[in-house]
mmCIF file of all heavy atoms in Angstrom:
data_model
loop_
_atom_site.group_PDB
_atom_site.id
_atom_site.type_symbol
_atom_site.label_atom_id
_atom_site.label_comp_id
_atom_site.label_asym_id
_atom_site.label_seq_id
_atom_site.Cartn_x
_atom_site.Cartn_y
_atom_site.Cartn_z
ATOM 1 N N HIS A 1 -5.502 7.815 24.656
ATOM 2 C CA HIS A 1 -5.608 7.147 25.959
ATOM 3 C C HIS A 1 -6.088 5.706 25.842
ATOM 4 O O HIS A 1 -6.251 5.017 26.849
ATOM 5 C CB HIS A 1 -6.575 7.924 26.855
ATOM 6 C CG HIS A 1 -7.988 7.948 26.336
ATOM 7 N ND1 HIS A 1 -8.332 8.575 25.165
ATOM 8 C CD2 HIS A 1 -9.134 7.404 26.839
ATOM 9 C CE1 HIS A 1 -9.637 8.431 24.957
ATOM 10 N NE2 HIS A 1 -10.144 7.728 25.965
ATOM 11 N N LEU A 2 -6.326 5.222 24.608
ATOM 12 C CA LEU A 2 -6.809 3.863 24.378
ATOM 13 C C LEU A 2 -5.700 3.054 23.712
ATOM 14 O O LEU A 2 -5.427 3.244 22.525
ATOM 15 C CB LEU A 2 -8.054 3.884 23.481
ATOM 16 C CG LEU A 2 -9.258 4.658 24.045
ATOM 17 C CD1 LEU A 2 -10.353 4.764 23.002
ATOM 18 C CD2 LEU A 2 -9.784 3.989 25.314
ATOM 19 N N PRO A 3 -5.025 2.168 24.425
ATOM 20 C CA PRO A 3 -3.863 1.436 23.888
ATOM 21 C C PRO A 3 -4.193 0.676 22.608
ATOM 22 O O PRO A 3 -5.187 -0.040 22.535
ATOM 23 C CB PRO A 3 -3.513 0.469 25.029
ATOM 24 C CG PRO A 3 -4.065 1.099 26.260
ATOM 25 C CD PRO A 3 -5.312 1.803 25.824
ATOM 26 N N GLY A 4 -3.365 0.875 21.605
ATOM 27 C CA GLY A 4 -3.492 0.136 20.353
ATOM 28 C C GLY A 4 -4.294 0.828 19.279
ATOM 29 O O GLY A 4 -4.079 0.576 18.085
ATOM 30 N N LEU A 5 -5.220 1.714 19.644
ATOM 31 C CA LEU A 5 -6.085 2.321 18.631
ATOM 32 C C LEU A 5 -5.377 3.364 17.768
ATOM 33 O O LEU A 5 -5.642 3.444 16.566
ATOM 34 C CB LEU A 5 -7.328 2.913 19.292
ATOM 35 C CG LEU A 5 -8.290 1.873 19.882
ATOM 36 C CD1 LEU A 5 -9.568 2.536 20.366
ATOM 37 C CD2 LEU A 5 -8.609 0.773 18.882
ATOM 38 N N PRO A 6 -4.484 4.200 18.323
ATOM 39 C CA PRO A 6 -3.700 5.049 17.413
ATOM 40 C C PRO A 6 -2.889 4.225 16.409
ATOM 41 O O PRO A 6 -2.754 4.601 15.247
ATOM 42 C CB PRO A 6 -2.789 5.837 18.365
ATOM 43 C CG PRO A 6 -3.553 5.882 19.647
ATOM 44 C CD PRO A 6 -4.231 4.548 19.742
ATOM 45 N N GLY A 7 -2.365 3.096 16.880
ATOM 46 C CA GLY A 7 -1.629 2.210 15.973
ATOM 47 C C GLY A 7 -2.516 1.656 14.883
ATOM 48 O O GLY A 7 -2.082 1.475 13.741
ATOM 49 N N LEU A 8 -3.801 1.403 15.216
ATOM 50 C CA LEU A 8 -4.743 0.907 14.219
ATOM 51 C C LEU A 8 -4.990 1.954 13.142
ATOM 52 O O LEU A 8 -5.068 1.630 11.958
ATOM 53 C CB LEU A 8 -6.064 0.526 14.893
ATOM 54 C CG LEU A 8 -7.179 0.038 13.962
ATOM 55 C CD1 LEU A 8 -6.753 -1.239 13.249
ATOM 56 C CD2 LEU A 8 -8.471 -0.192 14.739
ATOM 57 N N PHE A 9 -5.090 3.233 13.541
ATOM 58 C CA PHE A 9 -5.312 4.269 12.535
ATOM 59 C C PHE A 9 -4.110 4.411 11.598
ATOM 60 O O PHE A 9 -4.266 4.519 10.386
ATOM 61 C CB PHE A 9 -5.596 5.624 13.176
ATOM 62 C CG PHE A 9 -5.547 6.739 12.174
ATOM 63 C CD1 PHE A 9 -6.576 6.936 11.282
ATOM 64 C CD2 PHE A 9 -4.428 7.555 12.079
ATOM 65 C CE1 PHE A 9 -6.516 7.928 10.328
ATOM 66 C CE2 PHE A 9 -4.356 8.546 11.132
ATOM 67 C CZ PHE A 9 -5.408 8.744 10.249
ATOM 68 N N VAL A 10 -2.913 4.436 12.169
ATOM 69 C CA VAL A 10 -1.730 4.561 11.313
ATOM 70 C C VAL A 10 -1.629 3.344 10.401
ATOM 71 O O VAL A 10 -1.244 3.451 9.231
ATOM 72 C CB VAL A 10 -0.459 4.734 12.164
ATOM 73 C CG1 VAL A 10 0.775 4.778 11.280
ATOM 74 C CG2 VAL A 10 -0.552 6.019 12.975
ATOM 75 N N ALA A 11 -2.000 2.167 10.922
ATOM 76 C CA ALA A 11 -2.050 0.968 10.071
ATOM 77 C C ALA A 11 -3.085 1.154 8.965
ATOM 78 O O ALA A 11 -2.888 0.693 7.831
ATOM 79 C CB ALA A 11 -2.385 -0.257 10.914
ATOM 80 N N CYS A 12 -4.186 1.842 9.278
ATOM 81 C CA CYS A 12 -5.217 2.139 8.273
ATOM 82 C C CYS A 12 -4.631 2.978 7.138
ATOM 83 O O CYS A 12 -4.831 2.681 5.961
ATOM 84 C CB CYS A 12 -6.369 2.865 8.951
ATOM 85 S SG CYS A 12 -7.573 3.634 7.849
ATOM 86 N N ALA A 13 -3.891 4.031 7.482
ATOM 87 C CA ALA A 13 -3.270 4.879 6.462
ATOM 88 C C ALA A 13 -2.246 4.096 5.646
ATOM 89 O O ALA A 13 -2.186 4.198 4.417
ATOM 90 C CB ALA A 13 -2.608 6.090 7.116
ATOM 91 N N PHE A 14 -1.453 3.279 6.328
ATOM 92 C CA PHE A 14 -0.440 2.508 5.633
ATOM 93 C C PHE A 14 -1.043 1.397 4.784
ATOM 94 O O PHE A 14 -0.460 0.992 3.783
ATOM 95 C CB PHE A 14 0.552 1.916 6.638
ATOM 96 C CG PHE A 14 1.776 2.755 6.826
ATOM 97 C CD1 PHE A 14 1.780 3.809 7.708
ATOM 98 C CD2 PHE A 14 2.919 2.509 6.100
ATOM 99 C CE1 PHE A 14 2.890 4.599 7.881
ATOM 100 C CE2 PHE A 14 4.040 3.294 6.252
ATOM 101 C CZ PHE A 14 4.036 4.346 7.151
ATOM 102 N N SER A 15 -2.213 0.881 5.175
ATOM 103 C CA SER A 15 -2.846 -0.182 4.398
ATOM 104 C C SER A 15 -3.155 0.295 2.986
ATOM 105 O O SER A 15 -2.893 -0.405 2.003
ATOM 106 C CB SER A 15 -4.133 -0.641 5.088
ATOM 107 O OG SER A 15 -3.860 -1.327 6.272
ATOM 108 N N GLY A 16 -3.745 1.492 2.889
ATOM 109 C CA GLY A 16 -4.024 2.032 1.576
ATOM 110 C C GLY A 16 -2.766 2.231 0.756
ATOM 111 O O GLY A 16 -2.740 1.983 -0.445
ATOM 112 N N THR A 17 -1.712 2.656 1.429
ATOM 113 C CA THR A 17 -0.464 2.894 0.718
ATOM 114 C C THR A 17 0.170 1.612 0.216
ATOM 115 O O THR A 17 0.597 1.517 -0.931
ATOM 116 C CB THR A 17 0.516 3.623 1.638
ATOM 117 O OG1 THR A 17 0.024 4.926 1.856
ATOM 118 C CG2 THR A 17 1.883 3.733 0.997
ATOM 119 N N LEU A 18 0.253 0.617 1.091
ATOM 120 C CA LEU A 18 0.878 -0.645 0.691
ATOM 121 C C LEU A 18 0.161 -1.239 -0.510
ATOM 122 O O LEU A 18 0.795 -1.718 -1.462
ATOM 123 C CB LEU A 18 0.860 -1.627 1.860
ATOM 124 C CG LEU A 18 1.755 -1.286 3.055
ATOM 125 C CD1 LEU A 18 1.527 -2.284 4.187
ATOM 126 C CD2 LEU A 18 3.224 -1.264 2.665
ATOM 127 N N SER A 19 -1.185 -1.209 -0.502
ATOM 128 C CA SER A 19 -1.940 -1.782 -1.612
ATOM 129 C C SER A 19 -1.715 -0.996 -2.901
ATOM 130 O O SER A 19 -1.528 -1.572 -3.973
ATOM 131 C CB SER A 19 -3.428 -1.840 -1.274
ATOM 132 O OG SER A 19 -3.938 -0.543 -1.049
ATOM 133 N N THR A 20 -1.724 0.328 -2.803
ATOM 134 C CA THR A 20 -1.554 1.163 -3.992
ATOM 135 C C THR A 20 -0.155 1.025 -4.581
ATOM 136 O O THR A 20 0.019 0.864 -5.792
ATOM 137 C CB THR A 20 -1.820 2.637 -3.653
ATOM 138 O OG1 THR A 20 -3.128 2.755 -3.112
ATOM 139 C CG2 THR A 20 -1.698 3.514 -4.887
ATOM 140 N N VAL A 21 0.838 1.084 -3.717
ATOM 141 C CA VAL A 21 2.216 1.011 -4.197
ATOM 142 C C VAL A 21 2.509 -0.355 -4.801
ATOM 143 O O VAL A 21 3.128 -0.461 -5.868
ATOM 144 C CB VAL A 21 3.196 1.325 -3.054
ATOM 145 C CG1 VAL A 21 4.631 1.120 -3.503
ATOM 146 C CG2 VAL A 21 2.994 2.756 -2.568
ATOM 147 N N ALA A 22 2.056 -1.425 -4.136
ATOM 148 C CA ALA A 22 2.303 -2.767 -4.662
ATOM 149 C C ALA A 22 1.623 -2.959 -6.012
ATOM 150 O O ALA A 22 2.207 -3.528 -6.943
ATOM 151 C CB ALA A 22 1.821 -3.810 -3.662
ATOM 152 N N ALA A 23 0.368 -2.489 -6.142
ATOM 153 C CA ALA A 23 -0.335 -2.605 -7.418
ATOM 154 C C ALA A 23 0.371 -1.804 -8.505
ATOM 155 O O ALA A 23 0.468 -2.249 -9.656
ATOM 156 C CB ALA A 23 -1.785 -2.135 -7.259
ATOM 157 N N SER A 24 0.865 -0.637 -8.150
ATOM 158 C CA SER A 24 1.572 0.203 -9.130
ATOM 159 C C SER A 24 2.875 -0.446 -9.573
ATOM 160 O O SER A 24 3.207 -0.451 -10.766
ATOM 161 C CB SER A 24 1.856 1.582 -8.526
ATOM 162 O OG SER A 24 0.666 2.268 -8.233
ATOM 163 N N ILE A 25 3.607 -0.985 -8.612
ATOM 164 C CA ILE A 25 4.867 -1.660 -8.953
ATOM 165 C C ILE A 25 4.603 -2.835 -9.888
ATOM 166 O O ILE A 25 5.302 -3.036 -10.891
ATOM 167 C CB ILE A 25 5.580 -2.136 -7.674
ATOM 168 C CG1 ILE A 25 6.100 -0.931 -6.883
ATOM 169 C CG2 ILE A 25 6.735 -3.084 -8.010
ATOM 170 C CD1 ILE A 25 6.644 -1.291 -5.511
ATOM 171 N N ASN A 26 3.580 -3.636 -9.567
ATOM 172 C CA ASN A 26 3.246 -4.785 -10.403
ATOM 173 C C ASN A 26 2.833 -4.346 -11.807
ATOM 174 O O ASN A 26 3.227 -4.949 -12.811
ATOM 175 C CB ASN A 26 2.118 -5.577 -9.734
ATOM 176 C CG ASN A 26 1.838 -6.891 -10.430
ATOM 177 O OD1 ASN A 26 0.960 -6.982 -11.273
ATOM 178 N ND2 ASN A 26 2.593 -7.919 -10.079
ATOM 179 N N ALA A 27 2.026 -3.263 -11.890
ATOM 180 C CA ALA A 27 1.585 -2.774 -13.192
ATOM 181 C C ALA A 27 2.748 -2.203 -14.004
ATOM 182 O O ALA A 27 2.844 -2.424 -15.215
ATOM 183 C CB ALA A 27 0.502 -1.708 -13.001
ATOM 184 N N LEU A 28 3.650 -1.476 -13.349
ATOM 185 C CA LEU A 28 4.817 -0.927 -14.050
ATOM 186 C C LEU A 28 5.708 -2.037 -14.587
ATOM 187 O O LEU A 28 6.223 -1.947 -15.714
ATOM 188 C CB LEU A 28 5.607 -0.022 -13.096
ATOM 189 C CG LEU A 28 4.971 1.322 -12.760
ATOM 190 C CD1 LEU A 28 5.677 1.975 -11.580
ATOM 191 C CD2 LEU A 28 4.989 2.255 -13.969
ATOM 192 N N ALA A 29 5.897 -3.073 -13.781
ATOM 193 C CA ALA A 29 6.702 -4.214 -14.244
ATOM 194 C C ALA A 29 6.042 -4.885 -15.443
ATOM 195 O O ALA A 29 6.720 -5.295 -16.399
ATOM 196 C CB ALA A 29 6.882 -5.220 -13.104
ATOM 197 N N THR A 30 4.713 -4.968 -15.415
ATOM 198 C CA THR A 30 3.985 -5.617 -16.504
ATOM 199 C C THR A 30 4.133 -4.865 -17.814
ATOM 200 O O THR A 30 4.474 -5.459 -18.854
ATOM 201 C CB THR A 30 2.486 -5.737 -16.146
ATOM 202 O OG1 THR A 30 2.348 -6.509 -14.952
ATOM 203 C CG2 THR A 30 1.715 -6.411 -17.267
ATOM 204 N N VAL A 31 3.867 -3.548 -17.805
ATOM 205 C CA VAL A 31 3.932 -2.801 -19.057
ATOM 206 C C VAL A 31 5.370 -2.722 -19.575
ATOM 207 O O VAL A 31 5.600 -2.744 -20.785
ATOM 208 C CB VAL A 31 3.333 -1.388 -18.908
ATOM 209 C CG1 VAL A 31 1.860 -1.466 -18.556
ATOM 210 C CG2 VAL A 31 4.073 -0.556 -17.886
ATOM 211 N N THR A 32 6.332 -2.631 -18.675
ATOM 212 C CA THR A 32 7.728 -2.574 -19.125
ATOM 213 C C THR A 32 8.138 -3.882 -19.775
ATOM 214 O O THR A 32 8.793 -3.899 -20.831
ATOM 215 C CB THR A 32 8.657 -2.261 -17.939
ATOM 216 O OG1 THR A 32 8.255 -1.033 -17.325
ATOM 217 C CG2 THR A 32 10.099 -2.141 -18.401
ATOM 218 N N TYR A 33 7.742 -4.983 -19.158
ATOM 219 C CA TYR A 33 8.100 -6.297 -19.739
ATOM 220 C C TYR A 33 7.370 -6.531 -21.060
ATOM 221 O O TYR A 33 7.987 -6.903 -22.065
ATOM 222 C CB TYR A 33 7.760 -7.415 -18.751
ATOM 223 C CG TYR A 33 8.044 -8.790 -19.322
ATOM 224 C CD1 TYR A 33 9.348 -9.269 -19.398
ATOM 225 C CD2 TYR A 33 7.009 -9.588 -19.828
ATOM 226 C CE1 TYR A 33 9.614 -10.513 -19.959
ATOM 227 C CE2 TYR A 33 7.273 -10.831 -20.390
ATOM 228 C CZ TYR A 33 8.575 -11.285 -20.446
ATOM 229 O OH TYR A 33 8.844 -12.508 -20.997
ATOM 230 N N GLU A 34 6.044 -6.291 -21.069
ATOM 231 C CA GLU A 34 5.250 -6.604 -22.253
ATOM 232 C C GLU A 34 5.511 -5.638 -23.401
ATOM 233 O O GLU A 34 5.541 -6.043 -24.566
ATOM 234 C CB GLU A 34 3.755 -6.576 -21.895
ATOM 235 C CG GLU A 34 3.315 -7.684 -20.952
ATOM 236 C CD GLU A 34 3.320 -9.046 -21.619
ATOM 237 O OE1 GLU A 34 3.148 -9.096 -22.866
ATOM 238 O OE2 GLU A 34 3.495 -10.054 -20.910
ATOM 239 N N ASP A 35 5.693 -4.343 -23.094
ATOM 240 C CA ASP A 35 5.778 -3.334 -24.151
ATOM 241 C C ASP A 35 7.193 -3.055 -24.629
ATOM 242 O O ASP A 35 7.376 -2.484 -25.715
ATOM 243 C CB ASP A 35 5.147 -2.024 -23.672
ATOM 244 C CG ASP A 35 3.658 -2.167 -23.397
ATOM 245 O OD1 ASP A 35 3.075 -3.167 -23.840
ATOM 246 O OD2 ASP A 35 3.087 -1.288 -22.728
#
């Protein structure tokens, strides 16, 4: 019943995902290139 706050929670869940996935992609690219 509070406009915007459910969206904030889903953004909270997605924030963790975006950071984790981006870091993983960057790390995978690094080891593949270097190794």
Side-chain angles (χ1 to χ4, degrees):
H1 64 295
L2 299 173
L5 292 187
L8 178 62
F9 168 76
V10 177
C12 167
F14 265 84
S15 290
T17 291
L18 291 175
S19 61
T20 303
V21 174
S24 297
I25 290 172
N26 188 265
L28 288 167
T30 300
V31 297
T32 303
Y33 177 77
E34 292 289 333
D35 296 345

